[in-house]
Amino acid sequence: MEALVTIIAVGAYAERQYQKQDGTTEYFKSRGVTMKRGGDVFYGEMTGELASKNRDTQYQQGMPYIVKGAWKHRIWGENNDRHENGFHITDLQSL
């Protein structure tokens, strides 16, 4: 998906340590962005190297940006009865 959005808020860059199944340590890197498209407000997240690369980027609230990304769906819960949609940002550029 590619959309023209206005940035409402940008979260801080975060790194969270976790153990891989082989026992090695890795870091999950992320930075979240709340955006508005028309009347819709949604949250998207940069992860991995994109988040790391943009850790200090100053995004301006109320300014137009082009966001690219993909919606992901996951099912979870004890009975697989919970659903969640998440928007994963692959690019975020000012106009």
Side-chain angles (χ1 to χ4, degrees), residues 16-29:
R16 293 177 288 288
Q17 185 176 340
Y18 68 95
Q19 293 289 114
K20 290 175 61 174
Q21 289 183 349
D22 65 5
T24 60
T25 300
E26 286 286 329
Y27 290 89
F28 178 76
K29 305 167 188 175

Side-chain angles (χ1 to χ4, degrees), residues 8-57:
I8 295 173
V10 180
Y13 173 78
E15 286 187 6
R16 293 177 288 288
Q17 185 176 340
Y18 68 95
Q19 293 289 114
K20 290 175 61 174
Q21 289 183 349
D22 65 5
T24 60
T25 300
E26 286 286 329
Y27 290 89
F28 178 76
K29 305 167 188 175
S30 66
R31 189 167 188 201
V33 182
T34 304
M35 299 163 274
K36 184 172 185 172
R37 179 179 181 216
D40 296 327
V41 174
F42 64 99
Y43 175 82
E45 193 169 49
M46 296 178 216
T47 58
E49 291 308 309
L50 181 64
S52 183
K53 182 177 104 178
N54 289 291
R55 72 185 328 152
D56 297 320
T57 302

Side-chain angles (χ1 to χ4, degrees), residues 31-92:
R31 189 167 188 201
V33 182
T34 304
M35 299 163 274
K36 184 172 185 172
R37 179 179 181 216
D40 296 327
V41 174
F42 64 99
Y43 175 82
E45 193 169 49
M46 296 178 216
T47 58
E49 291 308 309
L50 181 64
S52 183
K53 182 177 104 178
N54 289 291
R55 72 185 328 152
D56 297 320
T57 302
Q58 297 297 314
Y59 296 102
Q60 301 300 314
Q61 292 180 351
M63 298 301 293
Y65 285 82
I66 297 291
V67 66
K68 295 179 185 177
W71 288 98
K72 304 284 184 173
H73 172 256
R74 77 176 180 120
I75 300 171
W76 57 285
E78 289 182 24
N79 299 315
N80 286 331
D81 55 353
R82 305 285 310 254
H83 297 265
E84 177 181 68
N85 292 315
F87 186 70
H88 295 269
I89 299 169
T90 58
D91 194 24
L92 184 60

